[in-house]
Amino acid sequence: MVQILSLIHSKNGTLSSMPYIPADVTNLKAKYRRESKLADIEAKIAYFDEKAKEDPDFFYRIRLDDEDRVRNMYWVDGAARRAYKHFQDFRMRLVRNEDTDGYIWLFKTFLECMGGLAPMNIITDQDFSMRAGIEEVFPLAVHRHCRWHIIKKAEETLGPFFADRLELHKAFELCVDHSLTVEEFERSWMAMIETYQVQDHETLASLWEKRMYWVQAYFMQCFFPFLQTTQRSEGFNAGLKRYVSPGNSLLQFAKQYTALQQKILGSELQQEANTAL
C-alpha cells in the first residue's frame, strides 16, 4: 500500500493535487509497524506451531523477561536436528542481550533440543560472556578462539613493529605456524622473546596469555577439519543479510531465514544428484 501511494505521488500527480504529503506516507508506515509489532510475537508462535505440524522434529523455545517481552528465542527444524547427529552443526538463535545468562540459557536449550549431545569442538570470537557459558554448559568441549580475528587485531600494533624487525617476524610465524607440540611452541616462543628482547611488548604478552585458545599446537589432538576461524559462520551471516534487514519483524525474519535455508538445502540436493550421476 505504501509503495502504491508513493508511486501515485511521484508519477501521476503533483504535490498540490495529492490529498497527502510524503510525511503522511511515512507516518502511515510507522503506524502499521507499531500495530504489527504488538501482534508480532503471537504471529511468530503461530508460525512455529504451523511448522511443528508440518515437521514433527521442529523444535523451538521462547524465553520472556519479567515484563513478558521476548528475551531469547531458539528454533531448529527437523533437517538440521538430523544433520547435527552426523556433523554437530546447524542452528538458529536470537538473543537480545549477549550476556552470560543469555548464553547459558541458549546452550542449555541447545542441549535439550539435541538430546543432550554436546558439541565436541567450538570456535568463537573473543566473547568472554560466551566463554563463561561454554565452560558451564559444555565443560568437555574444546573451545578455541578465531585465530584470524586474534592475529588481525594484533597486527594493528605488530604490523608496524615487525616492519623494522623482519627476523623477529619470521621467528614469530615459525613459532606459531610450525610448532607441532605444546613444548616445542613454548620453547620457541621463549627463545624468540629472549633473543629479540621483547619481554615488555604488550601485544606479544597478550598473545602469550591467550595462547591456549588460538595456537594450533594446543589443538593437535582435536579434529577441526579445515577450520581455524569463524569464516564459515561469517559467510553464512553475509548470505543471511541478503535476505533480512534490521527493520524486519520477528515473523518476517523467521520466514526469510526459512527461505534462505530452503535455498541451501536445494543446492545440497543438486550436488547430491550430480554426485550420484
Side-chain angles (χ1 to χ4, degrees):
M1 181 178 179
V2 170
Q3 290 175 345
I4 292 172
L5 291 174
S6 299
L7 183 64
I8 293 173
H9 195 288
S10 62
K11 297 294 184 182
N12 298 339
T14 64
L15 285 173
S16 59
S17 64
M18 292 294 106
Y20 58 89
I21 60 176
D24 294 326
V25 178
T26 301
N27 292 336
L28 182 62
K29 189 175 180 180
K31 177 174 179 280
Y32 287 157
R33 280 182 174 171
R34 287 194 300 270
E35 292 174 350
S36 64
K37 188 175 182 180
L38 294 175
D40 188 30
I41 187 60
E42 289 85 356
K44 186 71 174 282
I45 293 174
Y47 175 74
F48 282 163
D49 288 339
E50 284 298 316
K51 298 288 288 184
K53 291 179 182 178
E54 302 169 3
D55 179 0
D57 291 327
F58 186 86
F59 178 99
Y60 78 92
R61 293 287 185 272
I62 296 175
R63 183 191 188 193
L64 304 178
D65 62 14
D66 295 336
E67 299 178 13
D68 289 333
R69 297 176 302 177
V70 175
R71 182 173 182 180
N72 298 316
M73 185 177 295
Y74 178 92
W75 73 93
V76 185
D77 67 6
R81 294 180 76 184
R82 290 187 291 274
Y84 178 78
K85 293 179 181 179
H86 299 287
F87 307 110
Q88 298 194 6
D89 198 0
F90 295 99
R91 74 280 178 265
M92 190 61 213
R93 55 92 174 123
L94 291 174
V95 292
R96 194 173 74 199
N97 297 316
E98 296 184 0
D99 54 18
T100 300
D101 178 69
Y103 282 121
I104 288 176
W105 178 88
L106 170 67
F107 297 148
K108 287 183 176 180
T109 305
F110 179 94
L111 279 180
E112 177 190 358
C113 172
M114 300 305 179
L117 181 60
M120 294 183 295
N121 305 314
I122 303 174
I123 302 177
T124 70
D125 59 12
Q126 299 180 75
D127 188 311
F128 294 100
S129 297
M130 189 184 298
R131 182 201 293 182
I134 290 172
E135 290 176 350
E136 177 168 335
V137 184
F138 305 133
L140 300 181
V142 176
H143 178 208
R144 64 189 293 183
H145 289 162
C146 173
R147 171 193 167 107
W148 183 85
H149 278 104
I150 290 175
I151 294 297
K152 185 174 185 294
K153 185 171 181 60
E155 283 179 346
E156 294 175 4
T157 55
L158 286 180
F161 185 71
F162 282 154
D164 299 325
R165 299 167 178 81
L166 297 181
E167 290 301 317
L168 172 59
H169 190 191
K170 183 178 179 180
F172 175 83
E173 291 184 335
L174 188 66
C175 172
V176 171
D177 295 334
H178 298 285
S179 295
L180 298 180
T181 66
V182 171
E183 293 76 13
E184 182 182 358
F185 165 75
E186 294 184 352
R187 185 173 61 250
S188 299
W189 184 280
M190 291 302 179
M192 176 189 70
I193 297 296
E194 182 68 25
T195 300
Y196 298 97
Q197 292 295 295
V198 287
Q199 293 89 340
D200 297 328
H201 195 280
E202 292 184 4
T203 302
L204 289 174
S206 176
L207 289 175
W208 170 258
E209 290 174 1
K210 294 181 274 193
R211 63 192 182 281
M212 290 184 290
Y213 284 99
W214 68 277
V215 176
Q216 62 187 16
Y218 290 88
F219 303 99
M220 287 299 185
Q221 77 282 10
C222 306
F223 184 52
F224 285 88
F226 315 111
L227 295 175
Q228 295 188 56
T229 74
T230 56
Q231 181 180 6
R232 183 179 179 187
S233 64
E234 289 165 2
F236 178 80
N237 290 343
L240 183 63
K241 288 177 181 178
R242 291 197 293 269
Y243 281 76
V244 302
S245 72
N248 286 143
S249 67
L250 289 175
L251 179 60
Q252 289 172 326
F253 180 92
K255 289 183 175 181
Q256 289 298 96
Y257 176 81
T258 299
L260 173 59
Q261 195 173 27
Q262 290 302 318
K263 179 183 178 181
I264 294 173
L265 292 175
S267 177
E268 289 180 356
L269 290 174
Q270 181 64 56
Q271 291 174 24
E272 289 180 2
N274 294 340
T275 301
L277 291 174

